Amino acid sequence: LTDWFVAAMFEEFMAEIFGDEPAAAANTGDRQTITYHHVVDALIITVFAWLSLSVTLETNGFRQRLLEAFCESPTSKDTSNRYVAALVAVRYGLRDALIDWMLIYTVCYAIVGGLTWKHAEPNSVIVIWGFSLMLSSVVLGIVSLKITEWLGIYRASKLKVIKDISGFAHPAVEKLTSEGATIDQFRYQVRLGVGKHFSQFTWILLPFFVGLKFWFYLLSILIGVLCGHLFMFLVFECRKRFQQHRKRVAVIATAICMLGSATCFLVGIEVVDKGWDRFKSKTEVVLTVAFFFWLVIMLMFQGFKYYEHLNFGTNAPEIQLFASPDDEDNDDEVNDGEAATDTVGEGITLEEPLLGESNPRDIMKKDSGVEVGYFYQTAYFDRIKHSQLSGSASSDELANLASGEPHEIYEAIVDMEKGRRGRLLTILPIKPLWDLFMIGTRDTCRCCFCGKDAEFQAMSCGRKSWFALRKLVKVLLNLGAIFMAGISCAAAVQTSVTMSKLPYVRAIYLKLNEGEVCAYDNRCGTIQTFPSKEDAHLANYSVAHCKRCAHCSTWQDLKVQWTTRLEAAKLAQACGIRYLFDQEGMAKCLSNDMGWTHLCSEAWVHSVVCARKQCGAIATLSIITNRMGNFDVDPNAITAATCNEAQCEQGNPGNFAKLSGASRRKMNIKSSIGRPPDQQCQIVDNIPLTTKGYNNWEDFFSDPYC
């Protein structure tokens, strides 16, 4: 919706400022090549909205664990100072992680977006945008499942698709309080915990940087963060205002998200089909089926969620974005009569009850009179505060537990512990990235390749199956995303090279009617090269094709040029794919399927091998976008045929024109590759012309055959 809104409101303005062309469709023969004015990316928006939620949960999880440990420890100035320093470490760790991953994401964008900035294949951009909407519908569907947890209706599910907490908080605080870990090490664990959420999307986002302008990349991130905080604010207000009707609110919000997810999925399929053009007249039927299919899938997951809540939810922990002091009073209404637990389970993400006036946050900077609101309960705007340890403790007593500014306490303790690492190592994201990669690899392969993992072995059969399925899908999605991004980048580079070489080749073909000619004395007679058309005529020879004779200038090959004129490109393409790395087999295929002589087949093999090396990415992308049969050579729509012409015919680097001699272009034959008339040979002798100016060789090659 944001994409459409921005496109509709600002398309002309963006075109004027940045020089982008609005959405258009250029007719390129029997198919359309679609150019799309790419504004913002749906998946980037969705991912950063999700990250706003999960990072808040993660950092509040660290604060909650610290509060528990602080409450259980003997009250002393040293304990309080260490608690304050740990809270500062959470804030610094969050900051480190945000810098790390914005840098990593931007580097990834710089590589993919930079290479495809100007030369992204238009139809692939359409397909990618469609998949962006479809994956966004998946995330929105997951949100519809999580709303009941975040509002406190259901407890945490054991079967997760995307983790909203990393699980780093509990062991990190345990090491800090019981095992003698330093504050700096704790800060690094926070950095890893927050970074783990970003790392889930590193690879999957790569193809969605294709063709995306830098300002739209930044706009997508900004909109995503704003949407995430808007959602959290709505959750905040719901927990604050609808204590007695939270179930009703949760049902309505879930239904809205489910319908939004199904609609997003439907629109995604429609957009993908604009690039694929597979459904033809069945589009409406396919879209209707897709909408209800996705809705049924969402309902099935909701049913499973409800079943899990009824049968296994009693002992599961709660996960909430915000807590209310009235939650305990409403446990009967919220949890269907289940007894509330005083034990903080895995996943509780709150530092303290935050909403009631009886439990205000005590801010160390003496401004505790500020009304407690949404921004003071999020990870990004949090200040260092002391929590209320008991109902009898006063704000002054708590504030006096530590002296000095929080960041000064942190610096003093870190210096005392000598835990500070080198500045360069601290700033660069190399170590966190490597550590998270190793953690993710061990977590992914523990069910299959890394021996018997105790935690995995303790899972039920159903959880093991879900774990394996989730990891398999994740690996396949990541590999697919990497492949798509790589192919798009390679195709953009090949397109750029093609466009740079195309003027040189086109200039040669504009002079096709000048210079050497290949001529014959009579039908089925001698064929030889002459310096010019005039020289051939002086020798009583007739011009068979422009330029010199070569391997495909025999009578057999000349007839094959005519008889396969409408399917030669497809037949050669089929042989090239079938024998991609077998040149001898490819030559035999060309001889058998098309009828070329051996030497002419070798010339065609040279062309196919050259195209594989110089135009392989463009050809692969054309398969993905259902345009493998598009042999158009319009310079405004670079296809595999255009690339082949620019790089494989005139010695830069391929020499097909020199090796083959005869071709449909040089014989002025209309073929499946539409070429401008001024790039066709116009000096062929004694062959009648069609109304469109092409030579008709039908009578010439009629029986008896030479």
Side-chain angles (χ1 to χ4, degrees):
L1 289 176
T2 304
D3 199 10
W4 293 340
F5 175 78
V6 175
M9 298 298 294
F10 302 108
E11 185 169 31
E12 293 183 3
F13 170 76
M14 293 296 181
E16 182 179 350
I17 298 299
F18 300 116
D20 294 329
E21 295 182 357
N27 190 1
T28 57
D30 59 344
R31 293 296 308 276
Q32 282 189 332
T33 297
I34 301 170
T35 57
Y36 171 64
H37 182 88
H38 202 39
V39 183
V40 290
D41 188 86
L43 186 62
I44 296 177
I45 292 174
T46 309
V47 164
F48 275 88
W50 175 270
L51 288 173
S52 299
L53 298 164
S54 58
V55 169
T56 298
L57 286 165
E58 184 68 27
T59 50
N60 283 344
F62 276 96
R63 293 190 179 105
Q64 174 64 32
R65 291 296 182 181
L66 285 173
L67 177 64
E68 296 171 34
F70 182 52
C71 291
E72 295 172 358
S73 302
T75 302
S76 67
K77 187 173 182 179
D78 289 340
T79 303
S80 182
N81 285 340
R82 194 166 176 80
Y83 173 64
V84 171
L87 287 176
V88 177
V90 172
R91 186 176 61 181
Y92 285 175
L94 169 63
R95 182 196 65 186
D96 294 342
L98 292 178
I99 294 174
D100 287 346
W101 288 95
M102 288 310 300
L103 178 62
I104 291 170
Y105 277 16
T106 303
V107 168
C108 291
Y109 168 79
I111 295 172
V112 178
L115 289 174
T116 60
W117 179 285
K118 294 182 179 179
H119 302 296
E121 205 280 320
N123 296 291
S124 70
V125 173
I126 282 283
V127 172
I128 288 171
W129 184 56
F131 276 107
S132 174
L133 289 166
M134 294 170 69
L135 290 175
S136 296
S137 73
V138 175
V139 178
L140 192 57
I142 295 170
V143 170
S144 72
L145 295 172
K146 299 293 293 184
I147 285 177
T148 50
E149 295 181 15
W150 293 335
L151 287 175
I153 306 300
Y154 291 174
R155 293 180 179 269
S157 174
K158 293 183 178 180
L159 302 180
K160 300 179 183 295
V161 180
I162 304 176
K163 290 185 177 181
D164 51 3
I165 52 174
S166 67
F168 280 40
H170 180 67
V173 173
E174 186 72 22
K175 291 179 181 179
L176 179 67
T177 56
S178 303
E179 300 179 18
T182 65
I183 292 293
D184 203 47
Q185 290 171 341
F186 177 73
R187 170 180 171 176
Y188 184 69
Q189 289 301 309
V190 176
R191 186 178 185 179
L192 290 181
V194 174
K196 188 171 178 60
H197 296 285
F198 285 87
S199 67
Q200 294 181 97
F201 303 102
T202 306
W203 304 119
I204 201 71
L205 283 178
L206 289 179
F208 303 101
F209 296 147
V210 172
L212 189 65
K213 300 298 188 288
F214 182 68
W215 41 88
F216 295 143
Y217 163 72
L218 295 179
L219 182 61
S220 300
I221 293 175
L222 177 61
I223 293 173
V225 172
L226 292 177
C227 289
H229 278 283
L230 176 62
F231 181 86
M232 285 195 292
F233 179 74
L234 293 176
V235 174
F236 174 86
E237 289 296 321
C238 288
R239 293 191 65 85
K240 184 177 181 180
R241 298 176 183 273
F242 301 103
Q243 291 294 322
Q244 302 299 327
H245 305 287
R246 200 179 299 163
K247 276 188 176 181
R248 194 174 304 167
V249 172
V251 169
I252 294 173
T254 299
I256 292 173
C257 287
M258 288 173 58
L259 290 173
S261 176
T263 303
C264 196
F265 186 74
L266 177 148
V267 176
I269 289 181
E270 183 180 19
V271 172
V272 168
D273 188 53
K274 288 182 183 295
W276 278 353
D277 195 25
R278 290 179 183 270
F279 301 143
K280 308 293 183 182
S281 60
K282 300 180 180 179
T283 301
E284 293 183 1
V285 176
V286 171
L287 294 180
T288 303
V289 171
F291 177 82
F292 287 103
F293 169 78
W294 190 253
L295 202 58
V296 168
I297 294 294
M298 290 290 97
L299 288 171
M300 290 175 59
F301 274 98
Q302 290 291 346
F304 176 79
K305 185 86 171 177
Y306 182 69
Y307 174 81
E308 183 188 32
H309 168 67
L310 292 180
N311 294 276
F312 307 105
T314 305
N315 299 321
E318 291 184 75
I319 293 184
Q320 303 166 2
L321 282 174
F322 304 100
S324 167
D326 296 329
D327 282 352
E328 292 185 5
D329 298 334
N330 293 317
D331 274 337
D332 290 342
E333 189 272 334
V334 172
N335 295 319
D336 295 328
E338 296 168 1
T341 176
D342 293 330
T343 303
V344 181
E346 182 67 33
I348 293 291
T349 57
L350 305 168
E351 184 175 342
E352 55 181 313
L354 304 176
L355 298 179
E357 293 181 359
S358 59
N359 285 315
R361 302 191 94 172
D362 299 299
I363 304 176
M364 291 191 64
K365 290 183 177 293
K366 307 299 183 183
D367 55 352
S368 58
V370 177
E371 181 182 354
V372 176
Y374 164 72
F375 288 116
Y376 285 96
Q377 299 186 45
T378 60
Y380 310 98
F381 302 93
D382 188 63
R383 303 184 186 182
I384 302 303
K385 310 166 184 71
H386 277 294
S387 303
Q388 195 163 343
L389 299 181
S390 65
S392 60
S394 67
S395 298
D396 292 336
E397 291 172 343
L398 293 171
N400 291 328
L401 286 175
S403 60
E405 292 292 328
H407 67 88
E408 294 175 355
I409 297 173
Y410 170 82
E411 295 291 342
I413 291 179
V414 169
D415 290 338
M416 180 181 64
E417 291 177 338
K418 298 180 180 179
R420 193 185 301 276
R421 295 184 296 274
R423 288 284 181 183
L424 185 61
L425 186 62
T426 303
I427 295 174
L428 293 178
I430 297 175
K431 189 177 188 305
L433 184 62
W434 174 254
D435 289 343
L436 286 172
F437 172 76
M438 295 305 298
I439 291 170
T441 301
R442 287 194 297 269
D443 182 57
T444 299
C445 72
R446 60 178 171 164
C447 64
C448 305
F449 308 111
C450 299
K452 293 184 178 181
D453 181 83
E455 183 180 353
F456 179 77
Q457 295 301 322
M459 294 180 184
S460 64
C461 183
R463 287 191 64 192
K464 286 181 179 178
S465 301
W466 177 252
F467 176 89
L469 177 62
R470 183 166 59 91
K471 295 300 181 182
L472 177 62
V473 171
K474 180 181 177 181
V475 169
L476 292 178
L477 281 176
N478 286 336
L479 291 176
I482 293 171
F483 173 79
M484 189 65 190
I487 285 295
S488 297
C489 290
V493 172
Q494 290 179 351
T495 298
S496 177
V497 174
T498 297
M499 294 179 70
S500 67
K501 293 182 177 181
L502 205 54
Y504 166 77
V505 176
R506 294 286 166 85
I508 293 177
Y509 285 127
L510 288 175
K511 299 179 180 180
L512 189 62
N513 297 300
E514 303 173 8
E516 295 178 310
V517 295
C518 183
Y520 60 95
D521 54 358
N522 53 65
R523 186 176 180 275
C524 301
T526 303
I527 300 177
Q528 67 182 67
T529 301
F530 288 87
S532 67
K533 177 181 67 173
E534 291 75 16
D535 291 330
H537 289 169
L538 288 174
N540 292 323
Y541 274 66
S542 301
V543 175
H545 64 77
C546 293
K547 301 307 175 184
R548 64 184 301 106
C549 305
H551 298 325
C552 295
S553 298
T554 66
W555 286 111
Q556 177 180 340
D557 295 320
L558 291 176
K559 183 174 183 179
V560 171
Q561 296 282 4
W562 171 253
T563 56
T564 64
R565 62 191 181 280
L566 299 179
E567 56 184 5
K570 290 184 179 180
L571 291 173
Q573 188 180 80
C575 287
I577 294 174
R578 198 183 315 165
Y579 298 97
L580 188 61
F581 300 103
D582 180 6
Q583 296 186 28
E584 183 177 348
M586 192 186 304
K588 291 181 179 179
C589 177
L590 291 168
S591 295
N592 296 333
D593 292 2
M594 300 182 68
W596 303 121
T597 60
H598 175 71
L599 289 178
C600 185
S601 294
E602 292 292 340
W604 276 75
V605 168
H606 170 85
S607 176
V608 173
V609 171
C610 173
R612 183 187 70 197
K613 294 179 180 178
Q614 308 299 327
C615 312
I618 296 177
T620 303
L621 206 56
S622 68
I623 296 175
I624 296 173
T625 57
N626 194 30
R627 279 165 172 75
M628 191 61 181
N630 182 5
F631 300 108
D632 189 80
V633 290
D634 184 349
N636 296 319
I638 301 300
T639 64
T642 313
C643 178
N644 184 284
E645 178 182 287
Q647 302 201 58
C648 297
E649 292 191 5
Q650 295 294 340
N652 52 349
N655 274 299
F656 176 69
K658 181 178 179 180
L659 293 173
S660 63
S663 68
R664 288 159 293 169
R665 182 205 299 264
K666 294 177 183 177
M667 294 174 67
N668 196 28
I669 296 173
K670 183 180 180 180
S671 68
S672 57
I673 302 178
R675 304 186 189 279
D678 59 355
Q679 294 181 24
Q680 295 274 129
C681 180
Q682 303 292 334
I683 57 174
V684 175
D685 291 326
N686 304 324
I687 305 297
L689 292 172
T690 66
T691 56
K692 293 185 178 181
Y694 296 98
N695 289 109
N696 186 344
W697 293 75
E698 185 67 34
D699 293 337
F700 187 88
F701 286 120
S702 60
D703 291 334
Y705 176 59
C706 298

